[in-house]
Amino acid sequence: MSQNTAETELTEVLRVRREKLAALIRSGNNPYTITKFQQTHHAAGIRESFTEGVEMNVSVAGRLMSKRVMGKASFAHVQDGSGSIQLYVSRDALGEENYAFFKSLDIGDIVGVSGYVFKTKTGETSIHAQQLTLLSKSLQVLPEKYHGLKDVDARYRQRYVDLIVNPEVRDTFVKRSRIISEIRRYLDGLGFLEVETPVLHTVAGGASARPFITHHNTLDIDMYLRIALELHLKRLIVGGFERVYEIGRVFRNEGMDTRHNPEFSLLELYQAYTDYNGMMDLTEELIRTVAVNVLGTAQIKYGETEIDLSKPFERISMKDAVKKYAGVDFDAIEDVEAARRAADEHNIKYEQRHQKGDILNLFFEEYCEEKLIQPTFITGHPVEISPLAKRMPQNEAYTERFELFIVGREHANAFSELNDPIDQRARFEAQAALKAAGDDEACDVDEDFLCALEYGMPPTGGLGIGVDRLVMLLTDTASIRDCLLFPTMKPID
């Protein structure tokens, strides 16, 4: 069949559906005027609770997904929010007129059905329909095999259709909701307070990222969509809250790929009187607990890889990881010139502004990240790439920071938070200098945050977890777009 023929047939089907709606309206049966339908049960509950031989009358509502007309009796399937259930529809039960009306319904129409539950000869739990009401007319045609669409973007652009025809997609988002609920439950159980902080910032800070810029007309100032939650949450630690967290949207004006979307969900939490070691313990137990409570196990599969979240997560410093996987010992590299020579020898591209610590991180990204399959905490990040982390007392070139890697991807980032306002100012100013030199991801000097630190912030551990990446891991999802209900898309026009 040619494309033109297929399009012509589709146009004809859409025309017929609109004619059916017009006829319903003319007869005084406009389905869009119906305001409610009393559901007594859902499909999954009926299948789970029905006992053969026990009378069970039900009223269900949902979308008509299939219809098999066989003379005086027909079978159909209705899909609601819990799943699908079979209908047995007969002329004797509905009457001649109503049965004819049923036969005129289209796949995709939303109906309400009342009847009693029974099991067919093949053992399928079904509803013998005694009343049927059209609740909404579908004027579009559902795809028969949505996975067969060549334009994969259509699944993301029309997520509502994707959810209708692909039960596994619906399951992913149910699990996403449960994952977030379990995160909250775990943290609330530890005495953390959930808070909300501003989305519009006057200073872009808390991470190395390019912000989205907007303009506030009344104040006549440029503002930034937040790139992180950090600096406002730490203000609350200064104010006396000892354990706070937020799960919120953040925005970064950067590239898009299977792991990055400009708008994503982030968990950040801060706990007074602990350090990054305390955050490692919390992170490990949080992820393990969420996996067990949502999936029923700490042994999960991602693609073809078995991941064991039940064992203690490995801990290794960034220097030791580079030594292990790249064969380069940064303890033997004395200065930035030596680091550049090592980079040249290993074809590591760097910029003139990069210092020794920056180059160590470039080695790590090139040689180590993809090797970290089982859960691994990478510790001891250089101070050059950690402007908000406390320095290690034994070696001030490095910080008390970790990143958690699983299946070669970063899933968490945490510090012993820098609470020295003098050191913090110096690092902010160094970042501002980088920004002035053209680094769009460097942060500005946040004078109000520095003022807060000058009032005194206790020793604090902080943690950030990308919620979307955690959902990807726990639902075995390859692309971040598959765990965002409405990922950012370029308009078709």
Side-chain angles (χ1 to χ4, degrees):
M1 182 186 298
S2 70
Q3 182 176 349
N4 288 340
T5 301
E7 289 177 353
T8 299
E9 290 186 0
L10 177 60
T11 301
E12 176 65 16
V13 169
L14 296 179
R15 183 187 63 78
V16 169
R17 290 196 176 204
R18 279 159 175 75
E19 287 180 353
K20 288 182 181 180
L21 174 61
L24 286 169
I25 294 172
R26 285 194 302 271
S27 65
N29 295 307
N30 184 351
Y32 301 134
T33 63
I34 297 175
T35 58
K36 66 179 181 179
F37 180 85
Q38 185 63 50
Q39 290 173 286
T40 62
H41 295 76
H42 283 82
I46 294 171
R47 290 195 305 272
E48 292 167 5
S49 62
F50 176 64
T51 300
E52 199 165 7
V54 177
E55 183 177 350
M56 187 177 185
N57 295 303
V58 300
S59 291
V60 300
R63 191 178 297 275
L64 193 65
M65 297 300 293
S66 72
K67 190 176 66 168
R68 187 158 46 99
V69 176
M70 301 180 298
K72 297 179 181 180
S74 303
F75 286 96
H77 280 87
V78 166
Q79 178 175 286
D80 61 21
S82 70
S84 178
I85 193 163
Q86 181 171 266
L87 305 179
Y88 174 72
V89 186
S90 68
R91 186 180 66 182
D92 291 343
L94 287 187
E96 188 87 38
E97 184 178 345
N98 288 333
Y99 186 62
F101 176 68
F102 162 76
K103 291 195 293 184
S104 74
L105 294 177
D106 293 308
I107 302 302
D109 287 350
I110 296 175
V111 298
V113 180
S114 297
Y116 62 87
V117 184
F118 74 106
K119 285 199 175 182
T120 63
K121 292 179 181 179
T122 61
E124 183 172 355
T125 300
S126 305
I127 299 173
H128 192 303
Q130 295 176 302
Q131 288 184 318
L132 187 144
T133 305
L134 177 63
L135 302 175
S136 183
K137 184 68 185 170
S138 175
L139 300 180
Q140 290 286 342
V141 178
L142 291 177
E144 293 181 9
K145 293 184 67 176
Y146 209 64
H147 281 300
L149 284 179
K150 295 180 180 179
D151 181 8
V152 178
D153 282 357
R155 290 186 50 232
Y156 307 133
R157 294 185 187 280
Q158 294 185 311
R159 180 67 83 188
Y160 40 89
V161 181
D162 193 23
L163 291 167
I164 292 169
V165 299
N166 287 325
E168 69 277 9
V169 173
R170 181 192 302 239
D171 183 58
T172 294
F173 290 105
V174 170
K175 286 180 180 175
R176 178 190 175 99
S177 179
R178 291 189 59 203
I179 287 166
I180 294 172
S181 294
E182 285 297 329
I183 291 171
R184 286 192 165 100
R185 187 199 62 77
Y186 179 81
L187 294 176
D188 292 346
L190 293 179
F192 280 84
L193 179 71
E194 184 175 9
V195 298
E196 294 178 305
T197 61
V199 173
L200 289 174
H201 291 182
T202 55
V203 177
S208 296
R210 182 183 294 113
F212 286 93
I213 304 173
T214 187
H215 188 79
H216 192 291
N217 292 333
T218 301
L219 297 178
D220 194 24
I221 59 171
D222 283 343
M223 300 188 79
Y224 305 93
L225 294 181
R226 64 186 179 189
I227 58 175
L229 313 174
E230 180 164 346
L231 299 185
H232 282 87
L233 291 176
K234 288 200 285 194
R235 286 171 169 89
L236 299 180
I237 296 291
V238 172
F241 289 117
E242 294 186 0
R243 299 186 181 203
V244 295
Y245 76 94
E246 181 173 5
I247 300 174
R249 289 297 231 199
V250 295
F251 309 85
R252 298 182 182 180
N253 195 358
E254 299 172 342
M256 297 167 58
D257 57 31
T258 57
R259 289 184 284 173
H260 297 89
N261 192 71
E263 175 184 359
F264 61 97
S265 294
L266 184 63
L267 160 69
E268 287 201 31
L269 64 88
Y270 294 86
Q271 179 179 341
Y273 310 113
T274 190
D275 64 1
Y276 78 129
N277 289 303
M279 290 294 101
M280 268 189 272
D281 295 338
L282 186 152
T283 303
E284 184 172 335
E285 188 58 30
L286 169 63
I287 292 175
R288 182 179 297 127
T289 299
V290 170
V292 169
N293 289 346
V294 174
L295 306 178
T297 179
Q299 283 80 36
I300 65 172
K301 192 171 183 180
Y302 190 81
E304 299 302 315
T305 305
E306 301 285 343
I307 303 296
D308 191 350
L309 300 173
S310 67
K311 296 178 180 178
F313 295 2
E314 183 182 357
R315 303 183 182 192
I316 182 173
S317 72
M318 183 178 285
K319 286 191 302 180
D320 288 343
V322 169
K323 186 175 180 179
K324 177 179 179 179
Y325 294 111
V328 177
D329 184 0
F330 265 75
D331 282 333
I333 293 177
E334 297 181 353
D335 53 29
V336 66
E337 294 304 326
R340 288 172 179 169
R341 287 195 296 272
D344 291 338
E345 292 169 2
H346 290 79
N347 297 315
I348 299 290
K349 303 297 182 184
Y350 58 88
E351 300 175 23
Q352 285 303 306
R353 64 181 175 83
H354 285 151
Q355 300 300 305
K356 175 183 171 182
D358 297 301
I359 294 174
L360 169 62
N361 185 54
L362 293 174
F363 267 93
F364 173 77
E365 292 175 346
E366 180 68 25
Y367 283 94
C368 306
E369 285 190 3
E370 64 181 17
K371 308 287 200 314
L372 305 175
I373 304 302
Q374 296 301 319
T376 304
F377 289 116
I378 296 295
T379 64
H381 291 61
V383 70
E384 292 92 337
I385 62 168
S386 310
L388 296 163
K390 186 170 288 191
R391 296 175 190 264
M392 287 184 165
Q394 66 272 28
N395 189 341
E396 293 198 347
Y398 298 92
T399 61
E400 293 192 345
R401 175 185 175 186
F402 73 78
E403 291 177 295
L404 172 63
F405 285 84
I406 310 174
V407 294
R409 299 174 180 175
E410 177 201 339
H411 283 81
N413 185 23
F415 316 142
S416 295
E417 299 296 333
L418 180 60
N419 62 345
D420 178 346
I422 298 172
D423 190 359
Q424 183 66 83
R425 178 176 291 278
R427 295 200 218 176
F428 272 161
E429 290 176 349
Q431 286 282 306
L434 290 174
K435 188 169 186 177
D439 185 350
D440 291 336
E441 295 188 352
C443 61
D444 296 310
V445 177
D446 190 329
E447 291 291 349
D448 183 73
F449 178 67
L450 290 171
C451 179
L453 287 187
E454 289 177 356
Y455 277 94
M457 185 174 83
T460 298
L463 166 68
I465 293 178
V467 173
D468 309 303
R469 288 193 187 177
L470 181 60
V471 173
M472 289 173 65
L473 177 71
L474 297 182
T475 59
D476 191 11
T477 300
S479 171
I480 192 172
R481 289 183 170 190
D482 289 321
C483 65
L484 295 173
L485 279 168
F486 301 103
T488 303
M489 304 289 291
K490 184 178 180 179
I492 295 177
D493 296 331

